[in-house]
Amino acid sequence: MYKAKITAVGYHVPDKVVTNKDLEKTLETSDDWIRTRTGIRERHYVTQGEATSDLAAAAACKLLEQRGITAEEIDCIIVATVTPDMFFPSTACVVQEKIGARNAWGFDLSGACAGFVYACATGSQFVHSGAYRKVLVVGADVMSSIINPRDRNTYVLFGDAAGAVLIEPADAGEEGIIDFLLRTDGSGGRYLNMPAGGSLRPATHETVEKEMHFVHQDGRAVFKYAVQRMAEISLEILKRNRVCASDVALYAPHQANMRIIDAALERMGLDPSRCVRNIEKYANTTAATIPIGLAEAYQENRIRKGELVLMASVGAGYTLGSLLFRWAF
Ligand SMILES: CC(C)(COP(=O)(O)OP(=O)(O)OC[C@H]1O[C@@H](n2cnc3c(N)ncnc32)[C@H](O)[C@@H]1OP(=O)(O)O)[C@@H](O)C(=O)NCCC(=O)NCCS
């Protein structure tokens, strides 16, 4: 059995920036409303022809450069996404070709906002078992492809981005991924979903006319659930590993709403300066928020080798996950 560790991080956001002020021009909303209710100031969108795999491949290339390895050394690619380029082939297949990872196999993982935590846990097990030595885990979403530009309740909340980590075996005695906690609560599906386009309601003129190919959300219900559960899954994993919140050097929570993050910090008693925040710049980029947070924290020298990191997320499904690890590079 091998312990798994995260050995590199990378992220990519598309160039086009859309500010709250820009949204004021087409929606009955305001910069003030969006900022005070969510913490978001702006988000990045892809341009026509740019897809989830492009963002994922760009994030992966930055990671490979940082680690100093070629794509051919990658064994497995897991792409966490709810906005695949197509239903099939998987986005992982497209990324494999785009980056030239010709020795890798791969698959997509649908875990919504907790997708990246699910994917890291999954990837770590391939390394832990000894089956593979280099697993590329990507969280990537082009949320702008599934949000309704006429719905102010959802349109202001999301952005497009990708982030990636590399998972490899840890040397003897070296700390890596310590523990993960994964949950699903299927009763939450009715509060956040994309109703049509799948086998239940295949695309028809009617589903398009009824705008069923967009994100539908009961924001208040999701907020209430997430506010409580973010703190719970974060505290539970700390408790079962006998770790105090004050031992956590970096907390990387999913970025859905600044108020959800603040409430989690308060309930955990965690120093806010140890928390990653990027919602202001990127909005909710679904599977990408956590790896972007890790990559930016690394760039800003906010985390050092050996320090304890906690990631946590609650997403559509509901999906829930937290993962505790020591920074290994
Ligand atoms: C969506 C969210 C920001 C709304 O914030 P809120 O404080 O709960 O706001 P409410 O739902 O109480 O809505 C307040 C009012 O603002 C309105 N409103 C909604 N979006 C608006 C917008 N963009 N601009 C202006 N007003 C808006 C609503 O229509 C509502 O009006 P009403 O009272 O006349 O019906 C918040 O509920 C949230 O973040 N939910 C969780 C979302 C999430 O995390 N999703 C992803 C999970 S991974």
Side-chain angles (χ1 to χ4, degrees):
M1 299 277 240
Y2 299 85
K3 194 150 203 158
K5 65 178 178 180
I6 291 174
T7 57
V9 284
Y11 76 100
H12 179 77
V13 289
D15 292 337
K16 186 177 162 192
V17 177
V18 176
T19 65
N20 294 345
K21 285 271 176 214
D22 293 329
L23 296 183
E24 282 180 3
K25 292 174 201 154
T26 54
L27 275 174
E28 200 185 316
T29 189
S30 68
D31 174 49
D32 184 59
W33 191 97
I34 302 169
R35 269 191 299 106
T36 53
R37 299 294 176 115
T38 69
I40 299 165
R41 280 179 191 274
E42 59 190 35
R43 70 285 292 141
H44 292 238
Y45 286 162
V46 295
T47 45
Q48 210 183 352
E50 210 176 358
T52 297
S53 65
D54 294 306
L55 306 185
C61 287
K62 287 176 190 165
L63 173 153
L64 292 171
E65 198 184 320
Q66 183 192 104
R67 183 72 183 89
I69 59 168
T70 65
E72 290 169 5
E73 293 176 59
I74 303 288
D75 299 312
C76 173
I77 301 171
I78 308 176
V79 179
T81 187
V82 291
T83 52
D85 288 19
M86 293 170 267
F87 257 15
F88 69 88
S90 74
T91 306
C93 291
V94 185
V95 171
Q96 187 244 17
E97 200 207 359
K98 281 187 176 163
I99 66 172
R102 58 192 175 89
N103 298 311
W105 70 288
F107 61 96
D108 289 2
L109 187 155
S110 174
C113 294
F116 182 73
V117 183
Y118 280 15
C120 282
T122 305
S124 76
Q125 295 309 288
F126 287 123
V127 172
H128 191 55
S129 67
Y132 299 106
R133 295 187 62 82
K134 285 186 171 50
V135 180
L136 174 66
V137 175
V138 187
D141 273 297
V142 173
M143 294 304 289
S144 64
S145 66
I146 58 165
I147 44 178
N148 184 346
R150 291 167 295 282
D151 179 9
R152 68 177 183 174
N153 290 294
T154 51
Y155 197 69
V156 304
L157 302 175
F158 297 96
D160 305 339
V165 298
L166 186 67
I167 303 183
E168 296 184 74
D171 294 331
E174 198 182 10
E175 282 290 13
I177 293 173
I178 298 166
D179 193 15
F180 49 80
L181 192 161
L182 309 174
R183 298 248 160 82
T184 293
D185 175 357
S187 69
R190 71 197 72 153
Y191 302 115
L192 179 51
N193 54 50
M194 192 174 101
S199 58
L200 178 63
R201 294 187 197 90
T204 61
H205 288 293
E206 194 194 353
T207 60
V208 173
E209 269 159 28
K210 288 186 172 167
E211 304 195 319
M212 294 168 84
H213 297 269
F214 291 122
V215 170
H216 287 247
Q217 174 174 247
D218 178 340
R220 255 175 242 188
V222 176
F223 186 88
K224 244 173 101 177
Y225 189 88
V227 134
Q228 203 182 350
R229 297 305 169 98
M230 274 293 280
E232 277 175 21
I233 48 154
S234 302
L235 285 168
E236 193 178 335
I237 196 167
L238 293 181
K239 192 173 168 204
R240 80 178 187 193
N241 288 281
R242 296 186 180 80
V243 172
C244 303
S246 57
D247 297 328
V248 174
L250 191 75
Y251 181 48
H254 171 54
Q255 311 277 309
N257 185 312
M258 192 64 87
R259 291 182 291 147
I260 296 175
I261 297 170
D262 287 340
L265 288 173
E266 200 178 318
R267 285 189 56 199
M268 292 166 70
L270 189 75
D271 178 352
S273 70
R274 297 186 183 183
C275 180
V276 163
R277 289 172 198 266
N278 56 43
I279 189 167
E280 194 181 20
K281 292 185 285 182
Y282 308 127
N284 181 350
T285 55
T286 303
T289 67
I290 293 176
I292 293 178
L294 298 176
E296 285 193 329
Y298 179 64
Q299 268 178 0
E300 293 160 10
N301 293 318
R302 288 181 63 191
I303 186 74
R304 282 191 300 267
K305 193 172 190 296
E307 288 184 329
L308 205 56
V309 184
L310 173 63
M311 51 171 107
S313 186
V314 176
Y318 294 115
T319 52
L320 306 93
S322 54
L323 190 142
L324 188 66
F325 68 104
R326 285 198 185 275
W327 199 259
F329 57 103

